[in-house]
Amino acid sequence: MTLTTPALLFPAISLLLLAYTNRFLTLAQLIRKLADEERNRHQEANATQILLLRKRISLTKRMQLAGVLSFLLCTLSMFALFLSLELLGVVLFGTSLVLLSVSLIYSLWEIQISTNALNVQLKDIEELLASDSRQAKSRREHHDRGK
């Protein structure tokens, strides 16, 4: 293995960490918004969303940790190869790949939870729309009886 092999991961890991940071910032923004809404009025959907957001934050922390450790081990692998420590470089690089895979698995898990959270939100909106529709129908019927 040459020094350039682990170097190939640098752009990929950097972009991955940037994407993870963006996901974290989006989660933080959602949590702040839900907290404000919850202070104004308690909704069951908000409580469910908050539970899902807590799980997503935990997974995002884990995927960031695994990604950063992958990046660090990739760097150490390059340093070991630079010092002609072939076996150590290969072991560090292999471990870096495993951690990168773990990070991606956490990312998939977080995406699944994110999708479930969106479904909770959609269900809440659908229930509100159905309730509004029933109220409008009831008002029309009441208005029609009054004629």
Side-chain angles (χ1 to χ4, degrees), residues 30-44:
L30 282 171
I31 289 169
R32 288 185 186 100
K33 180 180 176 226
L34 278 173
D36 287 343
E37 287 179 11
E38 194 61 25
R39 282 186 200 100
N40 295 332
R41 56 181 162 53
H42 179 73
Q43 288 187 346
E44 186 179 326

Side-chain angles (χ1 to χ4, degrees), residues 8-86:
L8 293 173
L9 276 187
F10 268 69
I13 295 173
S14 297
L15 288 174
L16 187 65
L17 292 175
L18 181 62
Y20 290 170
T21 300
N22 286 338
R23 291 192 75 72
F24 178 80
L25 292 174
T26 300
L27 287 171
Q29 187 178 26
L30 282 171
I31 289 169
R32 288 185 186 100
K33 180 180 176 226
L34 278 173
D36 287 343
E37 287 179 11
E38 194 61 25
R39 282 186 200 100
N40 295 332
R41 56 181 162 53
H42 179 73
Q43 288 187 346
E44 186 179 326
N46 282 358
T48 304
Q49 288 284 28
I50 289 168
L51 292 174
L52 292 172
L53 286 169
R54 181 173 302 284
K55 188 164 199 140
R56 289 177 62 195
I57 284 289
S58 175
L59 288 172
T60 300
K61 180 179 77 173
R62 290 176 188 174
M63 65 190 185
Q64 285 178 325
L65 178 63
V68 168
L69 288 174
S70 174
F71 199 23
L72 177 64
L73 290 179
C74 189
T75 304
L76 292 175
S77 170
M78 289 176 59
F79 187 65
L81 292 171
F82 175 74
L83 296 175
S84 299
L85 300 170
E86 182 79 24

Side-chain angles (χ1 to χ4, degrees), residues 4 22 27-28 44 66 70 78 81 95-96 112 116-117 120 133 141:
T4 57
N22 286 338
L27 287 171
E44 186 179 326
S70 174
M78 289 176 59
L81 292 171
T95 307
S96 172
Q112 181 65 38
N116 289 342
V120 166
S133 176
E141 288 173 356

